[in-house]
Amino acid sequence: MFEEHDVERSYPATPKRLEQAREKGQVARSRELATAAIVLTAALTLWGLGPALFERCLRSFRAGLSLDRSAAFDDERMLTGLHSLSSDMLFAVFPLLGLLLLATLAAPLLLSGWVFSAHAIKPDFARLNPLRGLKNILSAHSLVELGKAVAKCVLLGGIGTGVVVHGWSEMQQLGSQPPVGSVTHLGAIMSTGFFALVGGLVLIALIDAPYQLWHYYGGLKMSREEVRQEQREMEGDPQLKARIRSQQRAIARKRMMAAVPKADVIVTNPTHFAVALEYREGKMGAPRVVAKGRNLIAQRIREIGEEHRVPVLEAPPLARALYRHTEIGSEIPQALYTVVAQVLAYVYQVQRFRRAGGAMPVAPADLPVPPELDPLTSGASA
């Protein structure tokens, strides 16, 4: 059990948690930022292409309203004219529509980048729970969103009212101006108001985007126990890793013991260490260690060797040196070639004695093991 303060989510989300959230489609989103980007794109496009768009639309309207009496009663000519005018209007507004589409697709990428996840479309019947919906409505985030919507209405309403009040006298004079001039003047007034509203939306987006990021990362914060659990999952459960290592050692020990009967000689300490050596002339460059161990494992190596009549030689310095400076499956160090050669010569004599009888060979004594290889004399830990 972890203490109560550990449950508090006060730790920033780890990269793994952020990646898992993205895989589920959970990213920071700001509708205000997307709205501001789209409206700002529309405003800048109309400011740059507005005069040309106005002239082209005006020509299309004139062409559409200019027709003779015979064309009005000819269905084919009317359809042809409608098709031509529609194509002209579509090509006229195509740059505006294309830029708006691009802004609509690119605006959500400003906060979180590109995210594709099918998790959001999976059926989730928990969303139909009325209690959960009521809880979401009464949550702090919903109250913040409500306050933001009210503030947005007040701000944009105030901007719109200010624009109308400021340009009221000019709008009253539009009726006395020529049609083209009045339309141009009205367009300038509307452009001023439109850019003022765009400025208000941009201001709202600049406030909302940091808030959405703060709310998003705050919702993904983790408790101390969650951070520890994730670290255990990434690094592996220590108990599981210990069991795996134990099983691996057991398998390796079993394989090692199976190789003892094939050994040519077992060099012992006699009780603390045991090293089994094998040498196949013409197949090996040097004698190879097939098994080694200390204490209980060394005792088991000796028992298996005795069961299979593997010669056992008590040579404490050599046993210590072999145990310290060799690995299972590796060849002996070059500095021990001469010493092990004497041991193998003794082993061959024992094998010949077992086959043919005769005088029992004398085990070599005082083998010349280099002092630097003997842990007892060199001071190194075995």
Side-chain angles (χ1 to χ4, degrees):
M1 292 292 293
F2 49 88
E3 299 180 0
E4 183 177 357
H5 66 271
D6 287 338
V7 183
E8 298 179 359
R9 301 179 182 276
S10 56
Y11 291 83
T14 60
K16 180 180 179 181
R17 189 178 183 92
L18 293 175
E19 183 63 26
Q20 290 175 343
R22 289 182 65 86
E23 291 176 355
K24 296 179 181 179
Q26 299 176 2
V27 293
R29 296 184 179 90
S30 174
R31 290 191 297 269
E32 309 303 335
L33 179 61
T35 302
I38 294 171
V39 176
L40 180 61
T41 300
L44 295 176
T45 304
L46 291 175
W47 177 71
L49 303 178
L53 179 61
F54 175 74
E55 291 294 333
R56 191 162 183 175
C57 291
L58 185 60
R59 290 197 302 268
S60 297
F61 277 117
R62 286 174 177 174
L65 297 176
S66 301
L67 69 162
D68 53 25
R69 186 176 182 279
S70 60
F73 292 94
D74 189 339
D75 295 342
E76 184 176 354
R77 290 182 60 186
M78 290 293 292
L79 292 175
T80 303
L82 178 61
H83 179 270
S84 177
L85 293 175
S86 300
S87 300
D88 291 341
M89 290 297 298
L90 179 61
F91 283 113
V93 299
F94 181 78
L96 175 62
L97 297 178
L99 291 175
L100 289 179
L101 177 61
L102 182 62
T104 303
L105 297 176
L109 306 181
L110 297 177
L111 282 185
S112 304
W114 173 260
V115 177
F116 178 79
S117 175
H119 188 273
I121 63 177
K122 292 182 179 179
D124 185 5
F125 295 102
R127 297 178 181 177
L128 302 178
N129 188 349
L131 296 178
R132 180 179 176 182
L134 183 62
K135 181 179 179 181
N136 292 334
I137 293 175
L138 299 178
S139 64
H141 181 65
S142 298
L143 295 178
V144 171
E145 292 294 327
L146 176 61
K148 186 179 65 176
V150 173
K152 178 180 176 181
C153 292
V154 171
L155 177 61
L156 297 181
I159 293 175
T161 302
V163 171
V164 172
V165 171
H166 182 268
W168 182 253
S169 59
E170 297 182 13
M171 287 188 288
Q172 288 180 327
Q173 300 175 4
L174 294 177
S176 61
Q177 297 178 2
V180 176
S182 63
V183 171
T184 304
H185 196 179
L186 178 62
I189 297 175
M190 293 180 63
S191 298
T192 302
F194 189 42
F195 274 103
L197 292 174
V198 170
L201 291 174
V202 171
L203 177 61
I204 295 173
L206 292 177
I207 298 174
D208 182 67
Y211 166 74
Q212 294 296 340
L213 289 173
W214 173 81
H215 180 265
Y216 171 72
Y217 287 108
L220 293 178
K221 282 187 175 181
M222 307 170 65
S223 65
R224 181 185 301 178
E225 182 63 23
E226 289 175 331
V227 174
R228 291 175 178 174
Q229 179 64 26
E230 182 178 297
Q231 290 177 348
R232 286 195 293 266
E233 292 176 355
M234 295 179 63
E235 298 174 358
D237 189 347
Q239 296 180 354
L240 178 60
K241 293 173 67 175
R243 288 197 298 269
I244 293 175
R245 286 196 296 268
S246 177
Q247 293 176 358
Q248 291 175 340
R249 286 194 296 268
I251 295 173
R253 189 179 302 117
K254 185 177 181 180
R255 187 184 302 114
M256 179 184 70
M257 294 302 182
V260 172
K262 303 176 182 178
D264 293 310
V265 64
I266 298 176
V267 183
T268 65
N269 194 32
T271 58
H272 293 87
F273 301 99
V275 180
L277 299 177
E278 178 187 19
Y279 179 66
R280 297 292 179 265
E281 188 175 358
K283 296 181 179 180
M284 299 181 183
R288 183 176 300 167
V289 176
V290 296
K292 73 173 186 175
R294 59 188 303 176
N295 300 330
L296 294 178
I297 298 178
Q299 180 180 350
R300 182 58 182 160
I301 291 175
R302 290 195 300 271
E303 292 175 354
I304 296 176
E306 292 172 356
E307 292 175 2
H308 294 82
R309 302 188 67 190
V310 177
V312 178
L313 174 65
E314 293 185 6
L318 178 58
R320 291 192 298 264
L322 289 172
Y323 184 88
R324 177 68 176 82
H325 299 284
T326 61
E327 297 294 336
I328 297 174
S330 64
E331 296 181 351
I332 64 172
Q334 187 174 2
L336 296 176
Y337 280 5
T338 302
V339 181
V340 174
Q342 297 181 31
V343 173
L344 291 177
Y346 164 72
V347 169
Y348 298 150
Q349 293 174 7
V350 171
Q351 293 175 350
R352 187 165 50 251
F353 166 76
R354 289 176 177 177
R355 290 193 304 267
M360 178 66 183
V362 179
D366 299 329
L367 294 172
V369 177
E372 64 273 11
L373 295 183
D374 186 357
L376 190 62
T377 58
S378 65
S381 175

